[in-house]
Amino acid sequence: MTGEAEQQLRAYVEYLRDLGVYNLYRRGDPVFEKAEQEQPVATASAAAHASEQVTVAPVQAPVLTASSMRTIPQPAQPTPATPLTLRASSEPEIPKLISFNDLAPLPEVRHEPAAKSAALEAIREEIGDCTRCPLAYAGRHKIVFADGDPNARLMFVGEGPGADEDAQGLPFVGKAGQLLNNMITAMGLKREQVYIANIVKCRPPANRVPEPVEANTCSQFLLRQIDVVQPQIIVALGSTAATYLLGRKQSLAGLRGIWHSCRGAKLAVTYHPAFLLRDPRQKGEAWKDLQMVMKEMGLKAPGKG
Ligand code: URA
């Protein structure tokens, strides 16, 4: 596939993902895996391959005609009859989605406003030069902890750093970040007044979606950041943030426009700025989501009296 075609395909897949469509092409997804395990497994080698964790494009089943059926070679040796029973014990564990609310009880003691900065710094130090998940070995340059006011009333959570963020060590500083800055300004706020973080703190290679093991490993730190900052409102940017914060996979259409809860904050879901760059027609919809947030916070758009 040419570079351009590959880019187009990637953009299309990302577009579908932003809309909450996941199961087209990936293995490792619990729903996909379950459906696949329910298929009968024909031979030993098919069974062995079926349990491999590889990413494959869907393949069109060949059409069998009477004449082609006659030419299918028969196995010379009888196939060992073990795979079906072996698979049950060697099945990969299906990662469970657990909401941030269910991951840990809310802390009993809250940080005073003046102590929040140091508390966040302590979390950053604990992360250190992290090697807890595979992203540490996937070309990461800088760990992207967060940016903004430790006492912010409003927190944005994105998916994971891109190339610019990975180079600078700050979230949302590339093109999507510029759009996020504009969204924040349109709400009558400054970037320095909000807190911005991501589901994962290291850049996934080629900006792919973080794998569950990566997101789940990193969640403990984001959870503690939320508990320190204690924002009044969290805005989940895109479906990866919504999926992990809320602990359920659902289309954005079903999650937008209503309030959810997360660690004592009200949580709203909107489109990821990178999606809005790909499909600017949805900016009006995103603005509706932000207006819901502004109403809750008592904010007025600049110049609107
Ligand atoms: N996209 C994200 O989800 N996060 C960033 O920090 C940048 C781009």
Side-chain angles (χ1 to χ4, degrees):
M1 198 184 297
T2 65
E4 199 185 337
E6 194 178 323
Q7 243 180 2
Q8 271 175 5
L9 179 61
R10 185 187 299 282
Y12 186 58
V13 169
E14 283 179 10
Y15 180 85
L16 290 171
R17 177 167 59 78
D18 288 329
L19 293 172
V21 180
Y22 291 88
N23 300 328
L24 284 179
Y25 70 108
R26 294 178 63 220
R27 285 179 187 234
D29 182 284
V31 179
F32 185 94
E33 291 282 344
K34 189 164 180 294
E36 220 188 16
Q37 284 158 18
E38 282 160 8
Q39 301 294 319
V41 179
T43 65
S45 86
H49 286 303
S51 64
E52 280 171 17
Q53 287 290 297
V54 289
T55 303
V56 289
V59 178
Q60 200 73 39
V63 179
L64 292 183
T65 62
S67 63
S68 69
M69 282 169 79
R70 273 196 300 276
T71 62
I72 293 174
Q74 298 302 307
Q77 302 290 329
T79 9
T82 46
L84 280 179
T85 43
L86 277 182
R87 272 201 73 190
S89 58
S90 62
E91 267 170 21
E93 240 180 66
I94 296 174
K96 259 210 206 144
L97 274 174
I98 301 176
S99 71
F100 270 44
N101 278 344
D102 290 336
L103 273 178
L106 288 176
E108 280 169 19
V109 183
R110 293 300 195 167
H111 291 91
E112 291 297 321
K116 290 187 179 184
S117 182
L120 290 171
E121 191 46 45
I123 300 172
R124 177 65 191 92
E125 270 172 31
E126 193 180 323
I127 292 171
D129 192 17
C130 186
T131 54
R132 293 169 182 86
C133 94
L135 291 180
Y137 308 100
R140 162 194 93 198
H141 292 100
K142 290 201 171 151
I143 293 174
V144 177
F145 182 67
D147 193 24
D149 182 0
N151 286 293
R153 291 172 66 204
L154 176 59
M155 178 165 179
F156 289 94
V157 178
E159 178 176 296
D164 296 305
E165 291 77 18
D166 176 62
Q168 295 185 42
L170 286 170
F172 283 99
V173 290
K175 280 200 181 123
Q178 281 166 22
L179 180 53
L180 179 61
N181 291 348
N182 293 344
M183 290 157 68
I184 294 167
T185 307
M187 296 175 78
L189 291 169
K190 295 194 176 87
R191 181 177 163 116
E192 307 77 66
Q193 291 177 294
V194 304
Y195 193 79
I196 307 174
N198 281 306
I199 292 293
V200 293
K201 298 189 180 343
C202 297
R203 182 187 183 201
N207 298 341
R208 65 156 168 75
V209 187
E211 292 294 335
V213 67
E214 297 157 357
N216 292 337
T217 305
C218 220
S219 288
Q220 54 179 314
F221 300 111
L222 178 59
L223 182 144
R224 285 161 60 191
Q225 287 169 277
I226 295 172
D227 283 352
V228 169
V229 176
Q230 255 193 292
Q232 177 191 345
I233 289 173
I234 297 173
V235 175
L237 298 167
S239 39
T240 300
T243 298
Y244 286 102
L245 291 170
L246 297 175
R248 66 177 197 263
K249 218 175 224 187
Q250 203 179 321
S251 74
L252 280 198
L255 295 171
R256 291 181 48 240
I258 48 172
W259 286 111
H260 306 267
S261 91
C262 180
R263 312 290 307 160
K266 285 187 145 193
L267 183 145
V269 175
T270 193
Y271 294 115
H272 193 288
F275 170 73
L276 296 174
L277 290 174
R278 291 194 289 277
D279 188 354
R281 290 168 306 176
Q282 305 302 332
K283 282 186 181 173
E285 287 298 302
W287 181 232
K288 284 186 200 161
D289 301 332
L290 298 183
Q291 282 178 312
M292 183 176 98
V293 171
M294 289 161 65
K295 190 169 174 214
E296 186 66 27
M297 295 180 71
L299 295 172
K300 292 226 161 19
K304 295 261 157 128

